């Protein structure tokens, strides 16, 4: 048995049965070994960023890692952005990066580069170049263990070609899963005391604390003790909709997040970080926790968030409390000319049970959360690391993970172009994914940001950098060119009809939603003023203003 | 003047007047500063790999760096593969990587990552995070100097948002260009002596040694002393065609390269490395220089290759020798059903004077060099670092660099999909680029490599990893979707007609050449045997065989 064959068996024995790949010559023995392991499914992608984003989406939905198969340092580079998203989302991924044969490395051939150095950016916890065929499967088991450890992480195993083709590979059994600790009793008591005090308290949930049992425990605490529930700004996976507790996401815009957090005396983190601004802005604080608010940590990412929340519920005598659950409630189908808001409304009106919603719509998707709050139960996957190009690859992985669930990916036009090659894999694997592209011919979020950073009145060259007109992208042709059935909608009724069809016919579909820029120029001009004014306004007024900003 | 405005002026003063960009929020002040500097042209790309590959192509044709503008570590990651190609090609590039404000970094916001670590993979010689607005332009001048130094390199300047928006920026004048040394006299004499000896000698030229004056000096030496001229396997830029010396490229396939190098007693390197196999193969040597052949270095990449060759010509009394120059000679237009070979033939028959040929056709382009040998004078740009996805972005940069020259990019279908977003920039800037896609619905080179690495008889899962059928990509729709006029050709006459049209009408055009796989299954089965047999055959027989392998 050669190294590659032994590795294949080791991966499958550990439950890693999907490999998202974009191989080259140095991975040919791994590729050949695919046929030696019936449990392993290899999913070919045309670009490494698709492979890594698919592994991310797959693990978000299954809770277990997929493997990637990438070609040396350059292949890893192409996959880096979506591995970054996985890292920030604490998502387990096992990267297998083919390398030159060990003896070929010193010759500095064309594709030679320092793979380990690149890998550290996304795999700070585990990067290893396997040196001998006999040890390869031990290395693999350690990589898998690292990936699965709490928190989940990206683990990178670099596989030299001669270690792969060498004889003497010996499969290794998987290592036992880690058993994380829950909160210690002193911390638990201090937090329970804070909640029992007169101070205004909020729980900020992220990562594992957004699983359904954790959400329910938190909702019981909220119902019993009047604690506010927040969700981190970009959750890795958030179950939501009718029948589940509703939880308010921290806003992307720091000005709005500040409004949300105003007045709290205690912020209790559960597998989440204290909120900070996504970017820095001149003259503004980056930390969003208000002065005087005390931050507690109920569970770090390495601790058992679910058990910790259940312990807290118990300490607060809330285990029998009835949580407030979201009532079913859907908007009617929109009518008239299409807009970004109407796309969100249509999705909320039409989406079926158990949908997986992938949101990379940036400005266009601002109303999606509000609209779908009472829609049938679904899972929401978001842009955890801010590296755009995550949505379509995530859809590939989520659909492979859950072939019986509909996937709806909402993607901005700018974002879609980073990893558009995902459409080909959707077609090849005939995945049940409905892709909705908001085509406003603009890097719309950057028009907002240009104002927000106070870069002054932009001239024509600056504006051209944010403008995707000339030529306007034709996503229908782009999709069809990769074998995905596609149509364009400019009215709400056309859009609803297209969505009905996409959700009832198997295989991938793409709908190009032609929408005006989500923020008109006049609203954009008002935005900095409104955002400055927000923190000084009462929350109800601020929230009304917020709705005006994002119609 | 803020940092960004001062930086813009410093770049322009140093002759950096093109910036290939894909900006985000942290780069908004740099974007706003574009309008403060009339000399700076910003070229927007939809993906960072297009920006970096365009900067590479631009510098190959102008000899001076362009700037890139990328968004934090993830943007750099997306641009890494083409920066790798630039690094391996010794091409100057000045990366400007936006970063969070310095005080925002410790907060570990979503997009925070270790940019310097990623950058070291491609910028081992210069990575710096500018810390203060007052010092930014000093840092920039050092980055530019590093990029331009001999050899050219990728220099990375990381620009925190607050350093960019801070007031007190002071432009700096450019530093003087380096004055490289030519070969020392002892080395010169030793090499001249080797050439005068009875031993069989070859000059291997790369990098700067492929400039026209260097080629002419080498050709004079060849004519006077019977020295063989070789060119490195993947030249950064090779001027060739009628009226120029002809130089034999080292073959990509190690087995063929060994045949080329057999029998030489002295190999003299001029800004080139001793040839090694592109990949390692089980049981085969990676070094291609035959045993007993002595390797000399006339000029390292840090030395003046042109002057060194001229000194050598002088030492060998060859300065007045008439070099052998390529006679004009073009094939006739091909007829009948299209094949990869006929595409190459048609390009050779039709290409105009002063074309820039970009070759990323891998297997399909095997005959291109032979066919175009006597075509009108042209420049050839190749895949210097082996990281595919270089061709289309290089075409963007070359066309910006040389707006009055036709660019013809020959790209494999698999390769094209890595950075297809380049088509949009071609359309937006209305660049005179004719893109030819060889659509054989296959990672054709990997079919060859699967056999070559001895990975055994591949099963259906392995073969599926190399197969781009299901769905077949429709490059006409993909191009039109990005605003590029496109057509499909399945016969030689249709192809010639399309090429005529593309070369006479301004703006970008794409021709999808529908071709059978360049190596049929039966030929692929024979290939390993033929390659094993080659080294033991006389060169003439081997070369005949080589032609059979790659029809």
């Amino acid at each position: 048995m050669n190294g590659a064959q032994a590795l294949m068996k080791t991966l499958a024995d550990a439950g890693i049965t999907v490999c998202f790949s974009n191989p080259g010559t140095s991975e040919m023995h791994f590729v050949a070994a695919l046929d030696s392991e019936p449990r392993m499914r290899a999913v070919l992608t045309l670009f490494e960023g698709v492979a890594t984003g698919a592994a991310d989406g797959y693990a978000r939905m299954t809770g277990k890692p997929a493997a990637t198969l990438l070609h040396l340092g350059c292949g890893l580079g192409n996959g880096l952005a979506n591995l970054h998203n996985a890292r920030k989302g604490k998502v387990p991924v096992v990267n297998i990066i083919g390398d030159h044969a060990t003896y070929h490395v010193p010759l500095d051939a064309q594709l030679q580069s320092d793979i380990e150095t690149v890998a550290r950016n996304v795999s700070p916890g585990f990067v290893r170049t396997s040196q001998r065929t006999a040890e390869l499967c031990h290395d693999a088991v350690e990589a898998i263990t690292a990936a699965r450890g709490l928190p989940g992480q990206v683990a990178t195993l670099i596989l030299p070609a001669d270690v792969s083709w060498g004889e003497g590979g010996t499969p290794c059994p998987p290592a036992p899963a880690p058993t994380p600790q829950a909160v210690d009793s002193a911390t638990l008591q201090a937090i329970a005391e804070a909640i029992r005090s007169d101070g205004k308290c909020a729980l900020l949930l992220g990562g594992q604390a957004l699983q359904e049992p954790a959400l329910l425990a938190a909702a019981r605490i909220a119902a019993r003790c009047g604690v506010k529930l927040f969700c981190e700004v970009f959750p890795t996976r958030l179950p939501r909709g009718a029948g589940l507790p509703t939880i308010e996401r921290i806003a992307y815009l720091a000005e709005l997040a500040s409004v949300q957090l105003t007045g709290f005396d205690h912020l209790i983190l559960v597998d989440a970080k204290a909120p900070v601004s996504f970017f820095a802005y001149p003259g503004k604080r980056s930390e969003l926790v208000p002065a005087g608010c005390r931050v507690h940590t109920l569970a770090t990412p390495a601790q058992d968030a679910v058990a910790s929340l259940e312990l807290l519920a118990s300490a607060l005598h809330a285990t029998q409390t009835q949580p407030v659950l979201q009532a079913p409630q859907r908007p009617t189908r929109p009518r008239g000319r299409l807009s970004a808001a109407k796309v969100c409304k249509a999705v909320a009106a039409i989406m079926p049970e158990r949908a997986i919603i992938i949101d990379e719509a940036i400005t266009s998707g601002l109303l999606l959360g509000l609209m779908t709050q009472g829609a049938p139960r679904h899972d929401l996957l978001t842009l955890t690391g801010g590296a755009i190009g995550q949505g379509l690859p995530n859809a590939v992985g989520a659909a492979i993970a859950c072939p019986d669930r509909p996937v709806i990916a909402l993607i901005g036009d700018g974002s879609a172009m980073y990893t558009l090659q995902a459409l080909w894999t959707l077609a090849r694997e005939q995945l049940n994914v409905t892709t909705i592209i908001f085509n406003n011919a603009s890097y719309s979020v950057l028009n907002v940001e240009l104002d927000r950073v106070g870069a002054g009145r932009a001239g024509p060259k600056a504006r051209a950098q944010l403008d995707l007109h000339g030529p306007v992208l034709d996503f229908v042709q782009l999709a069809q060119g990769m074998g995905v059935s596609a149509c364009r909608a400019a009215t709400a009724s056309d859009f609803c009809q297209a969505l009905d069809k996409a959700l009832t016919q198997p295989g991938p579909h793409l709908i190009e939603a032609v929408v005006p820029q989500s923020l008109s120029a006049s609203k954009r001009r008002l935005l900095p003023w409104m955002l400055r004014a927000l923190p000084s306004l009462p929350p109800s007024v601020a929230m009304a203003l917020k709705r005006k900003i994002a119609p």
Side-chain angles (χ1 to χ4, degrees), chain A:
Chain A
M1 188 180 280
N2 69 22
Q5 290 158 342
L7 174 57
M8 204 63 76
K9 184 167 188 323
T10 300
L11 290 170
D13 286 348
I16 299 184
T17 53
V18 174
C19 174
F20 296 99
S21 68
N22 186 262
T25 299
S26 36
E27 294 79 47
M28 282 299 107
H29 285 84
F30 188 97
V31 167
L34 286 169
D35 288 283
S36 72
E37 178 47 71
R39 290 170 292 176
M40 182 63 77
R41 176 179 183 183
V43 178
L44 180 63
T45 66
L46 297 184
F47 179 69
E48 294 87 346
V50 178
T52 56
D56 176 29
Y58 175 90
R60 292 192 200 199
M61 292 312 302
T62 59
K64 66 176 189 173
T68 66
L69 179 66
L70 309 177
H71 187 46
L72 299 104
C74 298
L76 175 60
N78 282 338
L80 214 62
N82 273 327
L83 291 171
H84 171 90
N85 287 324
R87 173 168 82 90
K88 293 290 181 163
K90 295 169 275 187
V91 178
V93 175
V94 175
N95 282 326
I96 315 249
I97 317 289
D99 193 4
H100 284 312
T102 50
Y103 59 83
H104 198 70
V105 165
L107 301 181
D108 193 30
Q110 284 83 351
L111 273 167
Q112 178 61 37
S113 76
D114 180 355
I115 306 177
E116 289 195 4
T117 289
V118 177
R120 281 211 182 84
N121 184 270
V122 290
S123 283
F126 189 96
V127 179
R128 184 175 303 169
T129 304
S130 197
Q131 296 293 339
R132 301 197 318 123
T133 304
E135 284 153 23
L136 171 59
C137 293
H138 288 285
D139 293 332
V141 166
E142 288 185 40
I144 296 164
T145 305
R148 282 187 168 157
L150 210 67
Q153 61 177 319
V154 178
T156 300
L157 180 65
I158 300 170
L159 176 58
D162 53 342
V163 174
S164 184
W165 76 50
E167 285 299 318
T170 313
C172 286
T179 48
Q181 303 289 305
V183 59
D184 65 81
S185 64
T187 306
L188 182 67
Q189 288 318 315
I191 290 173
E193 210 161 293
I195 292 177
R196 280 192 223 100
S197 73
D198 287 343
K200 208 175 150 197
C201 292
L203 281 166
L204 174 55
L205 313 183
Q208 302 291 316
L210 297 173
Q211 293 178 16
E212 188 175 341
L215 280 178
L216 286 171
R220 286 192 185 96
I221 295 166
R224 175 146 186 114
C225 310
V227 166
K228 172 85 182 173
L229 297 187
F230 286 121
C231 163
E232 59 188 348
V233 53
F234 288 114
T236 303
R237 175 181 174 182
L238 177 63
R240 62 195 299 275
L244 283 170
T246 296
I247 179 166
E248 189 176 319
R249 265 173 80 184
I250 299 288
Y252 164 78
L253 294 177
E255 297 88 340
L256 299 179
S258 295
V259 174
Q260 291 175 296
L261 293 168
T262 293
F264 285 98
D265 302 296
H266 299 278
L267 182 66
I268 300 153
L269 307 177
V270 198
D271 195 359
K273 285 174 33 137
V276 299
S277 173
F278 199 89
F279 291 107
Y281 300 93
K284 288 182 188 148
R285 281 182 73 216
S286 286
E287 294 92 343
L288 300 180
V289 177
C293 175
R294 214 178 128 201
V295 177
H296 310 257
T297 300
L298 181 71
T300 67
Q303 286 181 301
D304 187 332
V306 181
S308 299
L309 276 165
E310 283 167 350
L311 285 171
L312 183 61
S314 177
L316 293 165
H317 309 293
T319 51
Q320 302 305 314
T321 309
Q322 200 56 36
V324 179
L325 301 179
Q326 173 67 46
Q329 183 189 9
R330 310 178 76 151
T332 55
R333 292 183 174 220
R335 297 163 67 177
R337 197 172 154 225
L338 199 57
S339 67
K342 287 180 191 171
V343 169
C344 296
K345 196 175 176 191
V347 169
I350 295 171
M351 61 190 269
E353 284 281 345
R354 302 182 69 239
I356 300 167
I357 303 285
I358 293 171
D359 175 15
E360 197 188 7
I362 321 285
T363 49
S364 296
L366 281 177
L367 287 196
L368 186 67
L370 201 64
M371 295 285 189
T372 55
Q373 196 162 300
R377 198 198 142 120
H378 58 279
D379 281 291
L380 174 70
L381 312 186
T382 76
L383 187 57
T384 47
I388 54 179
Q390 158 263 357
L392 287 171
N394 258 207
V396 169
I400 297 262
C402 306
D404 59 337
R405 294 180 65 175
V407 178
I408 304 174
L410 297 102
I411 320 278
D413 47 2
S415 296
M417 290 307 292
Y418 285 76
T419 47
L420 197 72
Q421 304 94 332
L423 293 174
W424 183 82
T425 301
L426 290 177
R428 181 171 171 104
E429 304 286 336
Q430 280 300 297
L431 302 177
N432 296 323
V433 173
T434 300
T435 301
I436 297 165
I437 307 282
F438 290 90
N439 195 348
N440 59 19
S442 168
Y443 283 131
S444 192
V445 67
L446 292 185
N447 278 300
V448 177
E449 295 288 20
L450 190 64
D451 292 333
R452 288 180 79 212
V453 298
R457 204 160 190 84
K461 288 205 283 186
R463 285 276 167 214
Q465 288 287 304
L466 316 180
D467 176 27
L468 304 184
H469 288 94
V472 171
L473 292 157
D474 181 332
F475 284 96
V476 173
Q477 283 195 304
L478 292 171
Q480 289 172 347
M482 288 189 253
V484 170
S485 117
C487 67
R488 181 174 296 113
T491 68
S493 80
D494 282 354
F495 180 83
C496 290
Q497 205 180 331
L499 187 57
D500 281 329
K501 188 179 148 201
L503 289 167
T504 46
Q505 296 186 350
H509 300 271
L510 180 141
I511 309 170
E512 177 177 305
V514 180
V515 297
Q517 277 203 27
S518 49
L519 296 177
S520 67
S522 61
K523 275 185 186 135
R524 273 208 313 279
R525 270 197 294 281
L526 281 176
L527 187 67
W529 175 85
M530 288 197 279
L531 291 174
R532 268 196 305 277
L534 274 175
S536 57
L537 298 172
S540 58
V541 180
M543 282 299 158
L545 242 180
K546 178 181 165 186
R547 285 202 192 92
K548 280 223 174 302
I549 297 171

